Amino acid sequence: WGSGTFVAPAMHVDQPLSRLSSFTDDMLARGLQPGARVVSRSHGASSPEESMTLGLSPGEPVSRLQRLRLASGTPMAIEHAVVPAKFLPDPHLVEGSLYAALAARGHVPLRALQRLHAVVLHDDQAELLAVPRGSPALYIERRSFLEGGAAVEFTASYYRGDAYDFVAELSLRLPGT
């Protein structure tokens, strides 16, 4: 199958789906050192898909940031974030956590909609994550919103299937409660 060197994850991360948090906060809470390697940064007019997803006027400016997210040096996820430029005027303002950069500008995401499903990694994605070609991953789309309801972020991520479990707490609501 694949060629090259592959890193077996030294950790397995359980991620609750019941609270909104950043990758950085999640790793710190587990005693792991969060990190990121920037793959690309850009600033420009939003695409039609980005405009629709973020509720923007056609061509409204956005900042884009694609990063490889690391946990104590181990590649864990590929993130591609798009943020309206009115909230993040320059993608170079993000040094660590995207949410910290947004909060520093007074734009704290308070809620999010998240969708996830299983995928098979393409060769370039597998190489970035240091896993064999064709490895499974969890693809996650997240739209985060400010208190007033404005979309502040859209992030599409590929999380290593061999190192991440997402956990949801469920409760039964009885009629009338």
Side-chain angles (χ1 to χ4, degrees):
W1 274 90
S3 62
T5 302
F6 302 106
V7 178
M11 79 284 299
H12 197 88
V13 176
D14 287 338
Q15 171 64 45
L17 290 172
S18 57
R19 69 180 172 84
L20 178 60
S21 61
S22 70
F23 180 90
T24 298
D25 290 341
D26 291 339
M27 294 305 108
L28 290 172
R30 288 165 178 77
L32 300 170
Q33 181 62 43
R37 191 175 89 215
V38 174
V39 176
S40 66
R41 297 181 207 244
S42 66
H43 177 83
S46 58
S47 69
E49 181 181 64
E50 291 167 339
S51 295
M52 286 185 60
T53 300
L54 292 166
L56 303 174
S57 298
E60 192 171 330
V62 294
S63 290
R64 296 178 192 90
L65 181 63
Q66 184 173 358
R67 300 180 292 172
L68 177 65
R69 301 310 309 262
L70 309 168
S72 297
T74 299
M76 296 294 280
I78 301 166
E79 284 182 349
H80 179 74
V82 181
V83 179
K86 61 188 169 194
F87 303 128
L88 185 69
D90 182 349
H92 290 89
L93 295 171
V94 179
E95 294 177 5
S97 168
L98 171 60
Y99 281 13
L102 289 169
R105 285 152 191 79
H107 308 298
V108 179
L110 293 182
R111 70 177 189 89
L113 295 174
Q114 193 160 270
R115 181 173 73 171
L116 58 107
H117 63 269
V119 295
V120 173
L121 294 171
H122 297 293
D123 291 353
D124 57 334
Q125 296 164 330
E127 185 176 333
L128 275 174
L129 291 171
V131 296
R133 279 187 341 185
S135 290
L138 293 169
Y139 173 74
I140 300 168
E141 292 182 346
R142 177 190 283 187
R143 276 191 314 153
S144 299
F145 302 90
L146 301 174
E147 184 175 17
V152 68
E153 163 218 18
F154 173 74
T155 298
S157 303
Y158 294 87
Y159 283 82
R160 288 174 67 140
D162 64 341
Y164 243 92
D165 284 335
F166 285 85
V167 180
E169 180 179 339
L170 308 175
S171 60
L172 178 63
R173 284 199 178 157
L174 300 173
T177 61

